[in-house]
Amino acid sequence: MARSSESPPDTPPDVMEQIHTLMHALKARVMRGSPEAGGRRVAPTEARILHHVARHPGSTQGDLVARTGRDKGQINRLIQQVEDAGLLVRVPDETDRRKLRLELTAEGREVVKGIAAERRKLSARLTADFTVEEREQLAALLARLQKNLGD
């Protein structure tokens, strides 16, 4: 990325803008749908809900609130959208019927598989001309960015 002639040479690049641009492009790809999931379109926030439930079956709305930092109302609306799309169901907890557990439907599991396949293809495409060492360095640098952020 070119630096402005007005910036001192020790000014770091605008990493945030680079990350934002890359993430926007990747989200747009996911939004187009994955052929492996029948071309189903899923918003990035819906994909995050589905991936969370796939990784943590039986999660609750409260678990998603804690994980995402979004408020209960936002999470409830997102869950409802994904449920209305037939990708997720709320099932009463066996020990506490007041608590609802989230489970993927068969179609939801297929969508998650499709999104994961698309992510793998995109990852391979993004790093196709990287050496093994460069891929390892990228992974290490991204991990440091996340650590520096404190999350």
Side-chain angles (χ1 to χ4, degrees):
M1 178 177 211
R3 294 182 194 268
S4 166
S5 59
E6 299 171 18
S7 298
D10 62 341
T11 301
D14 189 350
V15 173
M16 291 299 298
E17 182 61 28
Q18 290 175 299
I19 291 171
H20 174 78
T21 301
L22 179 61
M23 290 307 299
H24 182 72
L26 292 172
K27 285 180 182 180
R29 283 284 193 146
V30 171
M31 287 290 291
R32 282 187 229 149
S34 168
E36 289 84 354
R40 179 83 182 233
R41 290 179 164 214
V42 179
T45 51
E46 295 170 341
R48 281 194 293 275
I49 298 280
L50 293 171
H51 278 286
H52 178 83
V53 174
R55 286 189 308 271
H56 308 283
S59 294
T60 64
Q61 178 176 321
D63 295 334
L64 285 167
V65 168
R67 172 79 171 115
T68 65
R70 292 178 181 256
D71 67 49
K72 284 189 213 178
Q74 289 174 314
I75 293 297
N76 188 52
R77 284 187 296 279
L78 285 168
I79 290 170
Q80 189 64 54
Q81 287 171 343
V82 178
E83 190 174 31
D84 290 347
L87 305 177
L88 185 74
V89 292
R90 297 180 224 209
V91 178
D93 185 277
E94 291 180 11
T95 58
D96 182 353
R97 302 302 252 170
R98 296 169 296 174
K99 189 180 284 190
L100 297 174
R101 299 280 176 189
L102 304 173
E103 295 181 7
L104 296 176
T105 63
E107 187 175 0
R109 287 189 294 277
E110 289 305 310
V111 168
V112 168
K113 285 181 193 175
I115 293 169
E118 185 67 20
R119 288 173 63 159
R120 284 190 300 276
K121 282 195 292 189
L122 284 171
S123 291
R125 181 176 174 190
L126 287 169
T127 60
D129 62 347
F130 287 24
T131 65
V132 171
E133 293 79 18
E134 288 171 326
R135 285 187 195 117
E136 290 171 356
Q137 183 180 23
L138 175 61
L141 290 170
L142 290 171
R144 279 179 55 197
L145 286 174
Q146 188 169 1
K147 181 183 174 202
N148 289 346
L149 188 57
D151 291 342

